PDB file of all heavy atoms in Angstrom:
ATOM      1  N   THR A  19      96.193  88.662 175.038  1.00  0.00           N
ATOM      2  CA  THR A  19      97.402  87.878 175.197  1.00  0.00           C
ATOM      3  C   THR A  19      97.040  86.549 175.848  1.00  0.00           C
ATOM      4  O   THR A  19      96.128  86.486 176.669  1.00  0.00           O
ATOM      5  CB  THR A  19      98.450  88.591 176.126  1.00  0.00           C
ATOM      6  OG1 THR A  19      97.813  88.950 177.309  1.00  0.00           O
ATOM      7  CG2 THR A  19      99.037  89.793 175.475  1.00  0.00           C
ATOM      8  N   CYS A  20      97.733  85.489 175.452  1.00  0.00           N
ATOM      9  CA  CYS A  20      97.408  84.187 176.019  1.00  0.00           C
ATOM     10  C   CYS A  20      98.650  83.296 175.958  1.00  0.00           C
ATOM     11  O   CYS A  20      99.613  83.624 175.300  1.00  0.00           O
ATOM     12  CB  CYS A  20      96.273  83.522 175.206  1.00  0.00           C
ATOM     13  SG  CYS A  20      96.629  83.324 173.485  1.00  0.00           S
ATOM     14  N   LYS A  21      98.548  82.175 176.637  1.00  0.00           N
ATOM     15  CA  LYS A  21      99.661  81.247 176.624  1.00  0.00           C
ATOM     16  C   LYS A  21      99.646  80.395 175.335  1.00  0.00           C
ATOM     17  O   LYS A  21     100.669  80.115 174.740  1.00  0.00           O
ATOM     18  CB  LYS A  21      99.614  80.303 177.866  1.00  0.00           C
ATOM     19  CG  LYS A  21     100.673  79.197 177.802  1.00  0.00           C
ATOM     20  CD  LYS A  21     101.199  78.824 179.151  1.00  0.00           C
ATOM     21  CE  LYS A  21     102.233  77.721 178.980  1.00  0.00           C
ATOM     22  NZ  LYS A  21     102.859  77.313 180.140  1.00  0.00           N
ATOM     23  N   LEU A  22      98.408  80.033 174.900  1.00  0.00           N
ATOM     24  CA  LEU A  22      98.307  79.184 173.724  1.00  0.00           C
ATOM     25  C   LEU A  22      97.242  79.727 172.778  1.00  0.00           C
ATOM     26  O   LEU A  22      96.099  79.935 173.178  1.00  0.00           O
ATOM     27  CB  LEU A  22      97.914  77.734 174.132  1.00  0.00           C
ATOM     28  CG  LEU A  22      97.638  76.766 172.963  1.00  0.00           C
ATOM     29  CD1 LEU A  22      98.843  76.536 172.142  1.00  0.00           C
ATOM     30  CD2 LEU A  22      97.110  75.435 173.523  1.00  0.00           C
ATOM     31  N   LEU A  23      97.626  79.859 171.502  1.00  0.00           N
ATOM     32  CA  LEU A  23      96.693  80.271 170.460  1.00  0.00           C
ATOM     33  C   LEU A  23      96.627  79.105 169.436  1.00  0.00           C
ATOM     34  O   LEU A  23      97.654  78.663 168.958  1.00  0.00           O
ATOM     35  CB  LEU A  23      97.150  81.517 169.786  1.00  0.00           C
ATOM     36  CG  LEU A  23      96.439  81.910 168.498  1.00  0.00           C
ATOM     37  CD1 LEU A  23      94.941  82.187 168.750  1.00  0.00           C
ATOM     38  CD2 LEU A  23      97.087  83.118 167.815  1.00  0.00           C
ATOM     39  N   VAL A  24      95.454  78.647 169.169  1.00  0.00           N
ATOM     40  CA  VAL A  24      95.251  77.575 168.201  1.00  0.00           C
ATOM     41  C   VAL A  24      94.592  78.163 166.961  1.00  0.00           C
ATOM     42  O   VAL A  24      93.542  78.790 167.084  1.00  0.00           O
ATOM     43  CB  VAL A  24      94.425  76.374 168.764  1.00  0.00           C
ATOM     44  CG1 VAL A  24      94.311  75.280 167.722  1.00  0.00           C
ATOM     45  CG2 VAL A  24      95.056  75.852 170.059  1.00  0.00           C
ATOM     46  N   VAL A  33      90.554  69.681 169.594  1.00  0.00           N
ATOM     47  CA  VAL A  33      90.983  68.759 170.651  1.00  0.00           C
ATOM     48  C   VAL A  33      92.196  69.362 171.434  1.00  0.00           C
ATOM     49  O   VAL A  33      92.232  69.291 172.668  1.00  0.00           O
ATOM     50  CB  VAL A  33      91.363  67.374 170.064  1.00  0.00           C
ATOM     51  CG1 VAL A  33      92.159  66.523 171.064  1.00  0.00           C
ATOM     52  CG2 VAL A  33      90.082  66.619 169.643  1.00  0.00           C
ATOM     53  N   CYS A  34      93.087  70.000 170.711  1.00  0.00           N
ATOM     54  CA  CYS A  34      94.265  70.639 171.322  1.00  0.00           C
ATOM     55  C   CYS A  34      93.791  71.683 172.330  1.00  0.00           C
ATOM     56  O   CYS A  34      94.228  71.743 173.470  1.00  0.00           O
ATOM     57  CB  CYS A  34      95.126  71.244 170.250  1.00  0.00           C
ATOM     58  SG  CYS A  34      96.619  71.988 170.863  1.00  0.00           S
ATOM     59  N   ALA A  35      92.804  72.530 171.892  1.00  0.00           N
ATOM     60  CA  ALA A  35      92.340  73.603 172.739  1.00  0.00           C
ATOM     61  C   ALA A  35      91.602  73.066 173.955  1.00  0.00           C
ATOM     62  O   ALA A  35      91.786  73.560 175.057  1.00  0.00           O
ATOM     63  CB  ALA A  35      91.456  74.566 171.922  1.00  0.00           C
ATOM     64  N   ILE A  36      90.760  72.057 173.760  1.00  0.00           N
ATOM     65  CA  ILE A  36      89.997  71.528 174.898  1.00  0.00           C
ATOM     66  C   ILE A  36      90.955  70.949 175.931  1.00  0.00           C
ATOM     67  O   ILE A  36      90.854  71.225 177.117  1.00  0.00           O
ATOM     68  CB  ILE A  36      89.010  70.390 174.443  1.00  0.00           C
ATOM     69  CG1 ILE A  36      87.837  71.033 173.650  1.00  0.00           C
ATOM     70  CG2 ILE A  36      88.426  69.651 175.643  1.00  0.00           C
ATOM     71  CD1 ILE A  36      86.888  70.007 173.033  1.00  0.00           C
ATOM     72  N   ARG A  37      91.901  70.157 175.470  1.00  0.00           N
ATOM     73  CA  ARG A  37      92.828  69.540 176.382  1.00  0.00           C
ATOM     74  C   ARG A  37      93.675  70.592 177.123  1.00  0.00           C
ATOM     75  O   ARG A  37      93.931  70.481 178.341  1.00  0.00           O
ATOM     76  CB  ARG A  37      93.744  68.526 175.663  1.00  0.00           C
ATOM     77  CG  ARG A  37      94.701  67.768 176.558  1.00  0.00           C
ATOM     78  CD  ARG A  37      93.939  66.788 177.469  1.00  0.00           C
ATOM     79  NE  ARG A  37      94.800  66.185 178.475  1.00  0.00           N
ATOM     80  CZ  ARG A  37      94.550  66.187 179.771  1.00  0.00           C
ATOM     81  NH1 ARG A  37      93.464  66.798 180.247  1.00  0.00           N
ATOM     82  NH2 ARG A  37      95.354  65.646 180.629  1.00  0.00           N
ATOM     83  N   ALA A  38      94.099  71.577 176.360  1.00  0.00           N
ATOM     84  CA  ALA A  38      94.937  72.657 177.005  1.00  0.00           C
ATOM     85  C   ALA A  38      94.088  73.374 178.056  1.00  0.00           C
ATOM     86  O   ALA A  38      94.552  73.609 179.189  1.00  0.00           O
ATOM     87  CB  ALA A  38      95.409  73.665 175.927  1.00  0.00           C
ATOM     88  N   GLY A  39      92.846  73.638 177.718  1.00  0.00           N
ATOM     89  CA  GLY A  39      91.944  74.295 178.694  1.00  0.00           C
ATOM     90  C   GLY A  39      91.798  73.459 179.904  1.00  0.00           C
ATOM     91  O   GLY A  39      91.864  73.939 181.072  1.00  0.00           O
ATOM     92  N   GLN A  40      91.570  72.155 179.738  1.00  0.00           N
ATOM     93  CA  GLN A  40      91.404  71.227 180.904  1.00  0.00           C
ATOM     94  C   GLN A  40      92.648  71.310 181.756  1.00  0.00           C
ATOM     95  O   GLN A  40      92.553  71.136 182.977  1.00  0.00           O
ATOM     96  CB  GLN A  40      91.273  69.805 180.374  1.00  0.00           C
ATOM     97  CG  GLN A  40      89.942  69.466 179.752  1.00  0.00           C
ATOM     98  CD  GLN A  40      89.913  68.068 179.180  1.00  0.00           C
ATOM     99  OE1 GLN A  40      90.941  67.409 178.994  1.00  0.00           O
ATOM    100  NE2 GLN A  40      88.707  67.582 178.870  1.00  0.00           N
ATOM    101  N   LEU A  41      93.846  71.497 181.147  1.00  0.00           N
ATOM    102  CA  LEU A  41      95.076  71.524 181.900  1.00  0.00           C
ATOM    103  C   LEU A  41      95.369  72.898 182.506  1.00  0.00           C
ATOM    104  O   LEU A  41      96.487  73.104 183.065  1.00  0.00           O
ATOM    105  CB  LEU A  41      96.236  71.058 181.028  1.00  0.00           C
ATOM    106  CG  LEU A  41      96.208  69.572 180.672  1.00  0.00           C
ATOM    107  CD1 LEU A  41      97.080  69.293 179.448  1.00  0.00           C
ATOM    108  CD2 LEU A  41      96.614  68.730 181.850  1.00  0.00           C
ATOM    109  N   GLY A  42      94.424  73.792 182.341  1.00  0.00           N
ATOM    110  CA  GLY A  42      94.602  75.111 182.957  1.00  0.00           C
ATOM    111  C   GLY A  42      95.412  76.094 182.140  1.00  0.00           C
ATOM    112  O   GLY A  42      95.853  77.118 182.649  1.00  0.00           O
ATOM    113  N   VAL A  43      95.692  75.732 180.882  1.00  0.00           N
ATOM    114  CA  VAL A  43      96.477  76.606 180.000  1.00  0.00           C
ATOM    115  C   VAL A  43      95.503  77.689 179.463  1.00  0.00           C
ATOM    116  O   VAL A  43      94.427  77.369 178.959  1.00  0.00           O
ATOM    117  CB  VAL A  43      97.081  75.832 178.818  1.00  0.00           C
ATOM    118  CG1 VAL A  43      97.819  76.769 177.875  1.00  0.00           C
ATOM    119  CG2 VAL A  43      98.016  74.735 179.331  1.00  0.00           C
ATOM    120  N   ASP A  44      95.934  78.926 179.542  1.00  0.00           N
ATOM    121  CA  ASP A  44      95.116  80.052 179.068  1.00  0.00           C
ATOM    122  C   ASP A  44      95.099  79.982 177.512  1.00  0.00           C
ATOM    123  O   ASP A  44      96.119  80.281 176.853  1.00  0.00           O
ATOM    124  CB  ASP A  44      95.819  81.340 179.611  1.00  0.00           C
ATOM    125  CG  ASP A  44      95.247  82.581 179.028  1.00  0.00           C
ATOM    126  OD1 ASP A  44      94.103  82.578 178.605  1.00  0.00           O
ATOM    127  OD2 ASP A  44      96.021  83.579 179.002  1.00  0.00           O
ATOM    128  N   THR A  45      93.954  79.566 176.923  1.00  0.00           N
ATOM    129  CA  THR A  45      93.932  79.207 175.501  1.00  0.00           C
ATOM    130  C   THR A  45      92.864  79.988 174.726  1.00  0.00           C
ATOM    131  O   THR A  45      91.732  80.174 175.174  1.00  0.00           O
ATOM    132  CB  THR A  45      93.601  77.696 175.397  1.00  0.00           C
ATOM    133  OG1 THR A  45      94.527  76.953 176.158  1.00  0.00           O
ATOM    134  CG2 THR A  45      93.604  77.231 173.927  1.00  0.00           C
ATOM    135  N   VAL A  46      93.267  80.343 173.498  1.00  0.00           N
ATOM    136  CA  VAL A  46      92.378  81.034 172.558  1.00  0.00           C
ATOM    137  C   VAL A  46      92.373  80.189 171.285  1.00  0.00           C
ATOM    138  O   VAL A  46      93.405  79.701 170.827  1.00  0.00           O
ATOM    139  CB  VAL A  46      92.805  82.479 172.198  1.00  0.00           C
ATOM    140  CG1 VAL A  46      91.932  83.101 171.164  1.00  0.00           C
ATOM    141  CG2 VAL A  46      92.860  83.339 173.472  1.00  0.00           C
ATOM    142  N   ILE A  47      91.187  79.966 170.660  1.00  0.00           N
ATOM    143  CA  ILE A  47      91.144  79.302 169.389  1.00  0.00           C
ATOM    144  C   ILE A  47      90.468  80.175 168.351  1.00  0.00           C
ATOM    145  O   ILE A  47      89.471  80.842 168.696  1.00  0.00           O
ATOM    146  CB  ILE A  47      90.445  77.867 169.508  1.00  0.00           C
ATOM    147  CG1 ILE A  47      90.626  77.081 168.205  1.00  0.00           C
ATOM    148  CG2 ILE A  47      88.997  78.001 169.848  1.00  0.00           C
ATOM    149  CD1 ILE A  47      90.338  75.605 168.372  1.00  0.00           C
ATOM    150  N   LEU A 121      84.512  73.546 174.257  1.00  0.00           N
ATOM    151  CA  LEU A 121      85.571  74.554 174.331  1.00  0.00           C
ATOM    152  C   LEU A 121      85.276  75.520 175.454  1.00  0.00           C
ATOM    153  O   LEU A 121      86.176  75.849 176.283  1.00  0.00           O
ATOM    154  CB  LEU A 121      85.682  75.262 172.983  1.00  0.00           C
ATOM    155  CG  LEU A 121      86.300  74.461 171.850  1.00  0.00           C
ATOM    156  CD1 LEU A 121      86.064  75.121 170.488  1.00  0.00           C
ATOM    157  CD2 LEU A 121      87.834  74.327 172.067  1.00  0.00           C
ATOM    158  N   LYS A 122      84.011  75.942 175.509  1.00  0.00           N
ATOM    159  CA  LYS A 122      83.639  76.903 176.555  1.00  0.00           C
ATOM    160  C   LYS A 122      83.810  76.280 177.958  1.00  0.00           C
ATOM    161  O   LYS A 122      84.350  76.888 178.886  1.00  0.00           O
ATOM    162  CB  LYS A 122      82.181  77.381 176.363  1.00  0.00           C
ATOM    163  CG  LYS A 122      82.120  78.397 175.224  1.00  0.00           C
ATOM    164  CD  LYS A 122      80.698  78.889 175.024  1.00  0.00           C
ATOM    165  CE  LYS A 122      80.600  79.604 173.675  1.00  0.00           C
ATOM    166  NZ  LYS A 122      79.386  79.352 172.958  1.00  0.00           N
ATOM    167  N   LYS A 123      83.389  75.022 178.059  1.00  0.00           N
ATOM    168  CA  LYS A 123      83.464  74.323 179.368  1.00  0.00           C
ATOM    169  C   LYS A 123      84.919  74.251 179.839  1.00  0.00           C
ATOM    170  O   LYS A 123      85.229  74.299 181.015  1.00  0.00           O
ATOM    171  CB  LYS A 123      82.851  72.933 179.227  1.00  0.00           C
ATOM    172  CG  LYS A 123      82.683  72.183 180.487  1.00  0.00           C
ATOM    173  CD  LYS A 123      81.921  70.899 180.253  1.00  0.00           C
ATOM    174  CE  LYS A 123      82.512  69.769 181.111  1.00  0.00           C
ATOM    175  NZ  LYS A 123      82.372  68.453 180.540  1.00  0.00           N
ATOM    176  N   ALA A 124      85.820  74.106 178.835  1.00  0.00           N
ATOM    177  CA  ALA A 124      87.259  73.979 179.196  1.00  0.00           C
ATOM    178  C   ALA A 124      87.898  75.371 179.439  1.00  0.00           C
ATOM    179  O   ALA A 124      89.072  75.493 179.646  1.00  0.00           O
ATOM    180  CB  ALA A 124      87.990  73.209 178.088  1.00  0.00           C
ATOM    181  N   GLY A 125      87.077  76.397 179.265  1.00  0.00           N
ATOM    182  CA  GLY A 125      87.576  77.775 179.532  1.00  0.00           C
ATOM    183  C   GLY A 125      88.350  78.363 178.358  1.00  0.00           C
ATOM    184  O   GLY A 125      89.108  79.289 178.512  1.00  0.00           O
ATOM    185  N   VAL A 126      88.114  77.835 177.163  1.00  0.00           N
ATOM    186  CA  VAL A 126      88.836  78.302 175.939  1.00  0.00           C
ATOM    187  C   VAL A 126      88.046  79.479 175.347  1.00  0.00           C
ATOM    188  O   VAL A 126      86.827  79.415 175.224  1.00  0.00           O
ATOM    189  CB  VAL A 126      88.928  77.190 174.895  1.00  0.00           C
ATOM    190  CG1 VAL A 126      89.584  77.685 173.613  1.00  0.00           C
ATOM    191  CG2 VAL A 126      89.708  75.985 175.467  1.00  0.00           C
ATOM    192  N   LYS A 127      88.759  80.543 174.971  1.00  0.00           N
ATOM    193  CA  LYS A 127      88.113  81.656 174.310  1.00  0.00           C
ATOM    194  C   LYS A 127      88.080  81.396 172.808  1.00  0.00           C
ATOM    195  O   LYS A 127      89.074  81.070 172.206  1.00  0.00           O
ATOM    196  CB  LYS A 127      88.925  82.936 174.629  1.00  0.00           C
ATOM    197  CG  LYS A 127      88.267  84.156 174.006  1.00  0.00           C
ATOM    198  CD  LYS A 127      88.919  85.471 174.442  1.00  0.00           C
ATOM    199  CE  LYS A 127      88.346  86.676 173.768  1.00  0.00           C
ATOM    200  NZ  LYS A 127      86.873  86.784 173.782  1.00  0.00           N
ATOM    201  N   ALA A 154     100.627  85.506 171.619  1.00  0.00           N
ATOM    202  CA  ALA A 154     100.629  84.235 172.340  1.00  0.00           C
ATOM    203  C   ALA A 154     102.078  83.731 172.516  1.00  0.00           C
ATOM    204  O   ALA A 154     102.909  83.928 171.625  1.00  0.00           O
ATOM    205  CB  ALA A 154      99.804  83.192 171.564  1.00  0.00           C
ATOM    206  N   GLU A 155     102.270  83.062 173.644  1.00  0.00           N
ATOM    207  CA  GLU A 155     103.598  82.421 173.863  1.00  0.00           C
ATOM    208  C   GLU A 155     103.800  81.215 172.938  1.00  0.00           C
ATOM    209  O   GLU A 155     104.882  80.983 172.436  1.00  0.00           O
ATOM    210  CB  GLU A 155     103.625  81.865 175.293  1.00  0.00           C
ATOM    211  CG  GLU A 155     104.265  82.679 176.342  1.00  0.00           C
ATOM    212  CD  GLU A 155     104.112  82.017 177.699  1.00  0.00           C
ATOM    213  OE1 GLU A 155     104.644  80.909 177.891  1.00  0.00           O
ATOM    214  OE2 GLU A 155     103.424  82.661 178.523  1.00  0.00           O
ATOM    215  N   ASN A 156     102.719  80.456 172.734  1.00  0.00           N
ATOM    216  CA  ASN A 156     102.763  79.284 171.848  1.00  0.00           C
ATOM    217  C   ASN A 156     101.631  79.381 170.836  1.00  0.00           C
ATOM    218  O   ASN A 156     100.504  79.746 171.228  1.00  0.00           O
ATOM    219  CB  ASN A 156     102.535  77.971 172.676  1.00  0.00           C
ATOM    220  CG  ASN A 156     103.589  77.829 173.730  1.00  0.00           C
ATOM    221  OD1 ASN A 156     104.656  77.375 173.467  1.00  0.00           O
ATOM    222  ND2 ASN A 156     103.243  78.247 174.956  1.00  0.00           N
ATOM    223  N   ILE A 157     101.949  78.973 169.588  1.00  0.00           N
ATOM    224  CA  ILE A 157     100.864  79.009 168.562  1.00  0.00           C
ATOM    225  C   ILE A 157     100.853  77.616 167.898  1.00  0.00           C
ATOM    226  O   ILE A 157     101.914  77.048 167.566  1.00  0.00           O
ATOM    227  CB  ILE A 157     101.118  80.110 167.543  1.00  0.00           C
ATOM    228  CG1 ILE A 157     101.169  81.489 168.238  1.00  0.00           C
ATOM    229  CG2 ILE A 157     100.032  80.084 166.480  1.00  0.00           C
ATOM    230  CD1 ILE A 157     101.351  82.664 167.301  1.00  0.00           C
ATOM    231  N   VAL A 158      99.635  77.093 167.711  1.00  0.00           N
ATOM    232  CA  VAL A 158      99.488  75.827 167.003  1.00  0.00           C
ATOM    233  C   VAL A 158      98.772  76.109 165.675  1.00  0.00           C
ATOM    234  O   VAL A 158      97.703  76.669 165.650  1.00  0.00           O
ATOM    235  CB  VAL A 158      98.627  74.817 167.841  1.00  0.00           C
ATOM    236  CG1 VAL A 158      98.382  73.539 167.067  1.00  0.00           C
ATOM    237  CG2 VAL A 158      99.360  74.487 169.122  1.00  0.00           C
ATOM    238  N   GLY A 341      96.857  66.757 168.449  1.00  0.00           N
ATOM    239  CA  GLY A 341      96.351  67.934 169.203  1.00  0.00           C
ATOM    240  C   GLY A 341      96.435  67.698 170.696  1.00  0.00           C
ATOM    241  O   GLY A 341      96.869  68.564 171.465  1.00  0.00           O
ATOM    242  N   GLU A 342      96.028  66.511 171.120  1.00  0.00           N
ATOM    243  CA  GLU A 342      96.054  66.168 172.562  1.00  0.00           C
ATOM    244  C   GLU A 342      97.501  66.174 173.078  1.00  0.00           C
ATOM    245  O   GLU A 342      97.782  66.760 174.138  1.00  0.00           O
ATOM    246  CB  GLU A 342      95.414  64.778 172.744  1.00  0.00           C
ATOM    247  CG  GLU A 342      95.238  64.319 174.157  1.00  0.00           C
ATOM    248  CD  GLU A 342      96.325  63.391 174.637  1.00  0.00           C
ATOM    249  OE1 GLU A 342      97.142  62.950 173.777  1.00  0.00           O
ATOM    250  OE2 GLU A 342      96.367  63.118 175.844  1.00  0.00           O
ATOM    251  N   MET A 343      98.392  65.614 172.242  1.00  0.00           N
ATOM    252  CA  MET A 343      99.790  65.602 172.673  1.00  0.00           C
ATOM    253  C   MET A 343     100.404  67.005 172.799  1.00  0.00           C
ATOM    254  O   MET A 343     101.053  67.343 173.800  1.00  0.00           O
ATOM    255  CB  MET A 343     100.606  64.776 171.644  1.00  0.00           C
ATOM    256  CG  MET A 343     102.113  64.714 171.988  1.00  0.00           C
ATOM    257  SD  MET A 343     103.054  63.923 170.712  1.00  0.00           S
ATOM    258  CE  MET A 343     103.160  65.211 169.498  1.00  0.00           C
ATOM    259  N   VAL A 344     100.128  67.886 171.859  1.00  0.00           N
ATOM    260  CA  VAL A 344     100.692  69.199 171.862  1.00  0.00           C
ATOM    261  C   VAL A 344     100.169  69.995 173.043  1.00  0.00           C
ATOM    262  O   VAL A 344     100.927  70.761 173.708  1.00  0.00           O
ATOM    263  CB  VAL A 344     100.464  69.958 170.485  1.00  0.00           C
ATOM    264  CG1 VAL A 344     100.738  71.410 170.616  1.00  0.00           C
ATOM    265  CG2 VAL A 344     101.278  69.292 169.392  1.00  0.00           C
ATOM    266  N   ALA A 345      98.878  69.812 173.342  1.00  0.00           N
ATOM    267  CA  ALA A 345      98.334  70.532 174.512  1.00  0.00           C
ATOM    268  C   ALA A 345      99.092  70.141 175.767  1.00  0.00           C
ATOM    269  O   ALA A 345      99.430  71.005 176.615  1.00  0.00           O
ATOM    270  CB  ALA A 345      96.841  70.213 174.666  1.00  0.00           C
ATOM    271  N   GLU A 346      99.374  68.852 175.891  1.00  0.00           N
ATOM    272  CA  GLU A 346     100.098  68.426 177.129  1.00  0.00           C
ATOM    273  C   GLU A 346     101.532  68.965 177.132  1.00  0.00           C
ATOM    274  O   GLU A 346     102.041  69.333 178.187  1.00  0.00           O
ATOM    275  CB  GLU A 346     100.075  66.892 177.154  1.00  0.00           C
ATOM    276  CG  GLU A 346      98.666  66.347 177.263  1.00  0.00           C
ATOM    277  CD  GLU A 346      98.497  65.177 178.183  1.00  0.00           C
ATOM    278  OE1 GLU A 346      99.469  64.428 178.359  1.00  0.00           O
ATOM    279  OE2 GLU A 346      97.387  65.013 178.712  1.00  0.00           O
ATOM    280  N   ILE A 347     102.149  69.004 175.935  1.00  0.00           N
ATOM    281  CA  ILE A 347     103.515  69.559 175.898  1.00  0.00           C
ATOM    282  C   ILE A 347     103.535  71.038 176.304  1.00  0.00           C
ATOM    283  O   ILE A 347     104.333  71.448 177.099  1.00  0.00           O
ATOM    284  CB  ILE A 347     104.129  69.383 174.462  1.00  0.00           C
ATOM    285  CG1 ILE A 347     104.356  67.859 174.180  1.00  0.00           C
ATOM    286  CG2 ILE A 347     105.378  70.170 174.290  1.00  0.00           C
ATOM    287  CD1 ILE A 347     104.710  67.563 172.755  1.00  0.00           C
ATOM    288  N   VAL A 348     102.537  71.797 175.768  1.00  0.00           N
ATOM    289  CA  VAL A 348     102.485  73.218 176.083  1.00  0.00           C
ATOM    290  C   VAL A 348     102.257  73.422 177.608  1.00  0.00           C
ATOM    291  O   VAL A 348     102.744  74.334 178.235  1.00  0.00           O
ATOM    292  CB  VAL A 348     101.391  73.926 175.259  1.00  0.00           C
ATOM    293  CG1 VAL A 348     101.148  75.356 175.745  1.00  0.00           C
ATOM    294  CG2 VAL A 348     101.820  73.936 173.784  1.00  0.00           C
ATOM    295  N   SER A 349     101.506  72.450 178.196  1.00  0.00           N
ATOM    296  CA  SER A 349     101.214  72.601 179.643  1.00  0.00           C
ATOM    297  C   SER A 349     102.417  72.172 180.486  1.00  0.00           C
ATOM    298  O   SER A 349     102.352  72.252 181.745  1.00  0.00           O
ATOM    299  CB  SER A 349     100.015  71.728 180.034  1.00  0.00           C
ATOM    300  OG  SER A 349     100.392  70.381 180.160  1.00  0.00           O
ATOM    301  N   GLY A 350     103.466  71.687 179.840  1.00  0.00           N
ATOM    302  CA  GLY A 350     104.686  71.324 180.613  1.00  0.00           C
ATOM    303  C   GLY A 350     104.935  69.848 180.796  1.00  0.00           C
ATOM    304  O   GLY A 350     105.910  69.461 181.402  1.00  0.00           O
ATOM    305  N   LYS A 351     104.056  69.029 180.233  1.00  0.00           N
ATOM    306  CA  LYS A 351     104.255  67.565 180.347  1.00  0.00           C
ATOM    307  C   LYS A 351     105.267  67.080 179.291  1.00  0.00           C
ATOM    308  O   LYS A 351     105.392  67.702 178.250  1.00  0.00           O
ATOM    309  CB  LYS A 351     102.915  66.842 180.128  1.00  0.00           C
ATOM    310  CG  LYS A 351     101.918  67.067 181.271  1.00  0.00           C
ATOM    311  CD  LYS A 351     100.703  66.185 181.024  1.00  0.00           C
ATOM    312  CE  LYS A 351      99.559  66.551 181.961  1.00  0.00           C
ATOM    313  NZ  LYS A 351      99.703  66.121 183.332  1.00  0.00           N
TER     314      LYS A 351
END
Side-chain angles (χ1 to χ4, degrees):
T19 53
C20 57
K21 174 146 179 177
L22 174 64
L23 168 64
V24 181
V33 165
C34 183
I36 290 174
R37 184 68 189 126
Q40 286 174 346
L41 290 163
V43 177
D44 171 25
T45 304
V46 175
I47 190 163
L121 286 165
K122 284 181 194 139
K123 190 172 141 209
V126 176
K127 181 171 176 53
E155 262 175 64
N156 301 278
I157 302 181
V158 175
E342 186 262 350
M343 178 187 77
V344 168
E346 298 220 333
I347 291 170
V348 170
S349 80
K351 291 184 191 287

